[in-house]
Amino acid sequence: MTTKRVVADLIVTGCGQLVTLAKSDGTPRVRSALKDLAIIADGALAVAGGRLISVGPRDVVLATTGTSAQTNHVDVGGAVVMPGLVDCHTHTVFADYRLDEYEWRVAGTPYAEIAARGGGIAKSVGHVRAASEAELLSRTRQRVHSAIRHGTTTIEIKSGYGLSLEHELKQLRVVRTLRDELPITVVATFLGAHAIPKEMAADREGYVQAVVHDMIPRVAAEGLAEFNDVFCEVGAFSREETERILRSGQRAGLKARIHADELTDTGGAELAASLGAVSADHLKKTNDNGIDRMAKAGVFGVLLPGTSFGLPSLELAPARKMVDAGMRLAIATDFNPGSSTSESMPMMTSIACSHMRLSPAEALSMATYNPAFVLGREGDVGSLEVGKRADFLVLDCRDYREVANHFGINPVARVFVAGREWVAA
Amino acid sequence: MTTKRVVADLIVTGCGQLVTLAKSDGTPRVRSALKDLAIIADGALAVAGGRLISVGPRDVVLATTGTSAQTNHVDVGGAVVMPGLVDCHTHTVFADYRLDEYEWRVAGTPYAEIAARGGGIAKSVGHVRAASEAELLSRTRQRVHSAIRHGTTTIEIKSGYGLSLEHELKQLRVVRTLRDELPITVVATFLGAHAIPKEMAADREGYVQAVVHDMIPRVAAEGLAEFNDVFCEVGAFSREETERILRSGQRAGLKARIHADELTDTGGAELAASLGAVSADHLKKTNDNGIDRMAKAGVFGVLLPGTSFGLPSLELAPARKMVDAGMRLAIATDFNPGSSTSESMPMMTSIACSHMRLSPAEALSMATYNPAFVLGREGDVGSLEVGKRADFLVLDCRDYREVANHFGINPVARVFVAGREWVAA
């Protein structure tokens, strides 16, 4: 005899594949564990107070879950049900896409010339500085709503198009407003060190000082970010500057992340390992030593397939080598107005499978369970396990592999956040 | 003074960019003409009886269009409005995606081994033969509905997973049923010569004879297809077999198309030119002579970026060379259960721009105006010109370049077919 305990607000049945991603030891998935999605056939789940109270085979869930007249029953008719997607690297607070630059780029214009024409990050900084906080909020809200429709229920958003105390704070306040108004989990990252702003070109040390002495303390004091990120790259910030900025953030309580080895191997991966950074992201040019160091240090590698897709070269991070080395890995959109113009996490899994040669299961692990660790939300989201938030997706298919295989479309039919169905206002 | 003539059923205003693709001489767009989308700022259009009766600047359209109490007024608030997309190459009548094969492929399994495991076209033939006509219809209908949501208002659909009289006719009847029930334009192509079926492996001449003497006459007699297509490829049909099959189709009134030079340069492009085929499709391996011959003969090259995306090699047709040679070009999805698993024409323009280095304007010309010629519907669809069907899209953006740039999402907010808004039943 089973005692019926908590009364459920919601019971979902008919999950042809209930992709739970449960893992008994609660550690990140690496190597072969990436392929184990802990799928339950004919599964069900029960929710109370926004949290999962039961996840398992239909009969077990029904037998052990209490119901009342208020319990909402949803039968999804054999569809795939999976955790909400966790997008752990985005630049969603921007004003406009850089469409002129897109045309130049596909025509083969070298990046140096695009930069000389005022393109690149500098262009987006101009747009963001010119926009009011209300305008930025309105545009960012639309984009986050679209991300939710595509299954994202946890999203990280960086600043980095302000590049001054005033405009970096403006971007981070937009993130805070969305965090407060939306039911999904929104996590903020300060990226004041995204580029040296034009007006400081002759005084880069002055800008680094401003980041360290003005911006980081203010961001930390106002609680506007949990993470501190630096674009460590030739033409952006040196390894030494990156280290100073990240250490100063760590002292202020901001966890470190790095845009590393995207265009050149600057030793960003090794730096991430030596600093105890949470992640190093991009990693297209990372060498074997960097991979080894990150694997040993347990630093997450965040792969950004959309950035590769957006450039004709389609240069990709060596994902298979990283999996084989036992690195902790996640996939994110890098959604931004220039190099990765997509908020769709399902699209990222498609690129990751077709071109980084990940399996659909590996890609889903890297899009749900693992990035929850990157954001420090592993106790809360990323898998369907009792006690976690009831963030889940009902897909328009009966085999999870379609998420990656059926590309360029939105496979998400319904989105539930903390047990309530998401319907945009 | 302007005389108000016809009374409109529908007037659409507020088109921030009205992308008409009008061309005064009514010929296909080649070379620089591909970039001229004939965009009207603050445009409007008027519809009566499902056809466009006025297209132009708002003031002109309003001044010259009659209205009544029944006229429906739609203001799209500054959005882009463009012609419905024309997808001129699909294999939409299939049963299931080949998901096992997808996993093998991304793991690097060579195609020969996948074929030895029963994968490839043969696998889909097994699925289609096992499915009833009603099942096939139901699945194909869902896919076409999704294509419409992504902006496709004219679609070509091929048989080719039946490979026997009975099952080829079954596929083509599914296409006919959809043609009759849907408001969009559905065009059928017979592709009995897609592969030699397993049971005829020892008698390929016998299968070619069956295609020529049994299938083509029956398909033509029942009016089940307008086009006859052959997969001309090593392992499929030889150049000589292709020519016999296409000439026999031409005699029966079926216009010729060829799957040409996809995996090997078999001279398919030259054959298309010498036969007066409407198009040669794929063309990844076409040589310079083939390009020149097609350009001179006015044979359309149909580029299939989705097929390239789906394979890790990302091998693409030499699109820029083809544009420069003055070839007539179109883009299509090649939507099928194995190599190109997407029904989204916007996604195809994204791949075409990022990886074939087409400009967003070129890609849109190849996705609307030009493919209407491939399907023989240039008098009817592909541009917004007076007299054509009122098939148009309202996009979720204010610059047409976002269709390609903002990838992996659906940019289409509303679809109008023959002047009526499409809402799936």
Side-chain angles (χ1 to χ4, degrees):
Chain A
M1 295 291 290
T2 315
T3 313
K4 297 203 177 192
R5 284 167 290 189
V6 189
V7 172
D9 305 323
L10 168 68
I11 294 183
V12 178
T13 55
C15 312
Q17 290 185 339
L18 180 59
V19 181
T20 70
L21 283 118
K23 188 161 182 279
S24 54
D25 66 2
T27 58
R29 283 179 153 80
V30 295
R31 290 200 182 88
S32 62
L34 288 164
K35 294 185 181 167
D36 176 13
L37 302 184
I39 296 173
I40 297 167
D42 193 15
L45 53 83
V47 181
R51 301 257 158 193
L52 294 163
I53 56 168
S54 184
V55 178
R58 172 196 161 90
D59 293 348
V60 174
V61 170
L62 293 182
T64 57
T65 304
T67 58
S68 74
Q70 278 69 51
T71 302
N72 184 14
H73 293 264
V74 171
D75 187 315
V76 299
V80 176
V81 171
M82 63 169 283
L85 294 155
V86 178
D87 189 354
C88 69
H89 182 138
T90 87
H91 304 255
T92 308
V93 189
F94 60 87
D96 298 304
Y97 290 102
R98 303 200 302 262
L99 294 168
D100 291 337
E101 190 177 320
Y102 176 63
E103 289 201 284
W104 302 336
R105 206 170 62 215
V106 300
T109 310
Y111 187 79
E113 191 178 330
I114 289 174
R117 293 185 197 173
I121 293 170
K123 184 83 173 177
S124 291
V125 171
H127 291 158
V128 163
R129 288 182 177 178
S132 70
E133 186 173 327
E135 277 178 300
L136 274 182
L137 175 62
S138 161
R139 295 187 191 198
T140 307
R141 180 188 288 122
Q142 282 192 327
R143 291 185 198 115
V144 176
H145 283 195
S146 175
I148 298 172
R149 286 195 301 274
H150 289 82
T152 296
T153 56
T154 300
I155 188 169
E156 183 255 24
I157 307 179
K158 302 177 198 294
S159 65
Y161 295 126
L163 306 190
S164 71
L165 180 62
E166 175 191 353
H167 296 290
E168 287 289 309
L169 293 178
K170 178 173 72 175
Q171 283 196 288
L172 291 172
R173 283 194 303 267
V174 167
V175 180
R176 182 174 62 188
T177 302
L178 291 172
R179 184 196 68 192
D180 293 346
E181 81 176 31
L182 292 172
I184 67 163
T185 304
V186 177
V187 178
T189 294
F190 170 64
L191 178 60
H194 198 193
I196 304 283
K198 265 188 301 191
E199 69 276 12
M200 299 291 278
D203 181 18
R204 50 184 304 128
E205 176 57 21
Y207 187 67
V208 173
Q209 295 279 338
V211 170
V212 167
H213 297 296
D214 301 338
M215 299 188 207
I216 288 176
R218 181 75 178 273
V219 167
E222 294 197 19
L224 280 168
E226 295 177 46
F227 295 90
N228 181 31
D229 197 345
V230 177
F231 186 19
C232 182
E233 184 59 67
V234 175
F237 295 87
S238 71
R239 217 182 124 118
E240 182 273 334
E241 290 163 341
T242 301
E243 181 165 354
R244 281 166 60 201
I245 294 165
L246 291 179
R247 286 203 190 280
S248 108
Q250 286 174 321
R251 286 190 295 271
L254 301 178
K255 290 181 272 185
R257 299 183 63 178
I258 308 182
H259 281 63
D261 306 333
E262 179 184 2
L263 308 171
T264 35
D265 179 3
T266 62
E270 289 96 334
L271 178 60
S274 74
L275 278 172
V278 172
S279 75
D281 305 37
H282 282 293
L283 304 176
K284 291 198 279 189
K285 299 288 192 179
T286 297
N287 60 47
D288 290 357
N289 184 51
I291 290 173
D292 187 55
R293 292 284 306 281
M294 285 184 65
K296 291 210 172 89
V299 175
F300 270 90
V302 178
L303 308 175
L304 304 169
T307 318
S308 300
F309 176 82
L311 297 170
S313 57
L314 195 71
E315 191 171 42
L316 298 148
R320 284 250 63 86
K321 191 184 270 190
M322 293 170 166
V323 170
D324 292 343
M327 259 179 75
R328 297 175 171 187
L329 293 165
I331 289 171
T333 61
D334 194 21
F335 186 32
N336 75 65
S339 60
S340 188
T341 43
S342 181
E343 67 272 42
S344 168
M345 283 290 287
M347 183 72 221
M348 300 304 134
T349 70
S350 297
I351 304 168
C353 291
S354 282
H355 300 290
M356 292 177 161
R357 294 181 179 270
L358 298 179
S359 74
E362 289 172 329
L364 279 198
S365 288
M366 295 184 196
T368 53
Y369 184 84
N370 273 6
F373 286 85
V374 174
L375 299 180
R377 297 298 196 281
E378 68 272 19
D380 228 33
V381 303
S383 61
L384 300 177
E385 296 180 86
V386 170
K388 285 200 178 184
R389 275 167 61 98
D391 292 354
F392 60 91
L393 314 176
V394 181
L395 305 185
D396 227 350
C397 59
R398 284 159 188 263
D399 187 316
Y400 75 88
R401 295 174 298 181
E402 274 193 42
V403 174
N405 184 226
H406 190 182
F407 68 96
I409 60 96
N410 183 6
V412 178
R414 303 172 72 176
V415 180
F416 288 78
V417 183
R420 298 184 72 143
E421 185 156 12
W422 165 259
V423 184
Chain B
M1 294 289 289
T2 315
T3 314
K4 298 203 176 194
R5 284 167 291 192
V6 190
V7 172
D9 305 324
L10 168 69
I11 295 183
V12 178
T13 54
C15 312
Q17 291 185 338
L18 180 59
V19 181
T20 70
L21 284 117
K23 190 161 182 279
S24 55
D25 66 2
T27 58
R29 283 178 153 80
V30 295
R31 289 200 183 88
S32 62
L34 288 164
K35 294 185 183 168
D36 177 13
L37 303 184
I39 296 173
I40 297 167
D42 193 14
L45 54 82
V47 181
R51 301 258 159 194
L52 293 163
I53 57 168
S54 184
V55 179
R58 172 197 160 90
D59 294 348
V60 175
V61 170
L62 292 183
T64 57
T65 303
T67 58
S68 75
Q70 278 69 51
T71 302
N72 184 14
H73 294 264
V74 172
D75 187 314
V76 299
V80 176
V81 171
M82 63 170 282
L85 294 154
V86 178
D87 189 354
C88 69
H89 182 138
T90 87
H91 304 256
T92 308
V93 188
F94 60 88
D96 298 303
Y97 290 102
R98 303 201 300 263
L99 295 168
D100 290 337
E101 191 177 321
Y102 176 63
E103 289 202 283
W104 302 337
R105 204 169 65 214
V106 299
T109 310
Y111 188 79
E113 191 178 329
I114 289 174
R117 293 184 197 173
I121 294 170
K123 184 82 173 181
S124 291
V125 171
H127 291 158
V128 162
R129 288 181 177 178
S132 71
E133 186 173 327
E135 278 178 298
L136 274 182
L137 174 62
S138 161
R139 295 187 189 199
T140 307
R141 180 188 289 122
Q142 281 192 326
R143 291 186 197 114
V144 175
H145 284 195
S146 175
I148 298 171
R149 286 196 301 275
H150 289 81
T152 296
T153 56
T154 299
I155 189 170
E156 183 255 25
I157 306 178
K158 302 178 198 293
S159 65
Y161 295 126
L163 305 191
S164 70
L165 180 63
E166 174 191 354
H167 296 291
E168 287 289 309
L169 293 178
K170 178 173 73 177
Q171 282 195 289
L172 290 172
R173 283 193 304 266
V174 167
V175 180
R176 182 174 62 189
T177 302
L178 290 172
R179 184 196 67 192
D180 292 345
E181 83 176 31
L182 292 171
I184 68 164
T185 304
V186 177
V187 178
T189 294
F190 169 65
L191 178 60
H194 197 194
I196 304 283
K198 264 189 300 191
E199 69 275 12
M200 300 290 279
D203 181 19
R204 52 182 305 125
E205 176 57 22
Y207 187 67
V208 173
Q209 294 279 338
V211 169
V212 168
H213 296 296
D214 301 338
M215 300 188 207
I216 287 175
R218 180 74 177 273
V219 166
E222 294 197 20
L224 280 168
E226 294 177 48
F227 295 91
N228 181 32
D229 197 345
V230 177
F231 187 19
C232 182
E233 184 59 67
V234 176
F237 294 86
S238 71
R239 217 184 124 117
E240 182 273 334
E241 289 164 343
T242 300
E243 181 165 355
R244 281 166 60 202
I245 294 166
L246 291 179
R247 286 205 189 279
S248 108
Q250 285 173 323
R251 285 190 295 272
L254 302 178
K255 290 180 273 186
R257 299 183 63 177
I258 310 183
H259 281 62
D261 306 333
E262 179 185 2
L263 307 171
T264 36
D265 179 4
T266 61
E270 288 95 334
L271 178 60
S274 74
L275 278 173
V278 172
S279 76
D281 305 37
H282 282 295
L283 305 176
K284 290 198 280 189
K285 300 288 193 180
T286 298
N287 60 47
D288 290 356
N289 183 52
I291 290 173
D292 186 55
R293 291 285 306 281
M294 285 184 65
K296 291 210 172 87
V299 176
F300 269 91
V302 178
L303 308 175
L304 304 169
T307 318
S308 300
F309 175 83
L311 297 170
S313 57
L314 194 71
E315 191 171 42
L316 298 148
R320 283 251 63 88
K321 191 184 270 189
M322 291 169 166
V323 170
D324 293 343
M327 259 179 75
R328 297 175 170 188
L329 292 165
I331 288 171
T333 60
D334 193 23
F335 186 31
N336 75 65
S339 60
S340 188
T341 43
S342 181
E343 66 273 41
S344 168
M345 283 292 285
M347 182 72 220
M348 300 304 134
T349 70
S350 297
I351 303 168
C353 291
S354 282
H355 299 291
M356 292 176 163
R357 293 180 179 271
L358 298 179
S359 74
E362 289 172 329
L364 279 198
S365 288
M366 294 185 197
T368 54
Y369 184 83
N370 273 6
F373 287 86
V374 174
L375 299 181
R377 297 296 196 282
E378 68 271 19
D380 228 32
V381 303
S383 61
L384 300 178
E385 296 181 86
V386 170
K388 285 200 178 184
R389 275 166 61 98
D391 291 355
F392 60 91
L393 314 176
V394 182
L395 305 185
D396 227 349
C397 59
R398 284 159 189 263
D399 187 316
Y400 75 89
R401 296 174 298 180
E402 274 194 42
V403 174
N405 185 226
H406 190 182
F407 68 96
I409 59 97
N410 183 6
V412 178
R414 303 173 72 177
V415 180
F416 288 78
V417 183
R420 300 184 71 143
E421 185 156 12
W422 164 259
V423 183

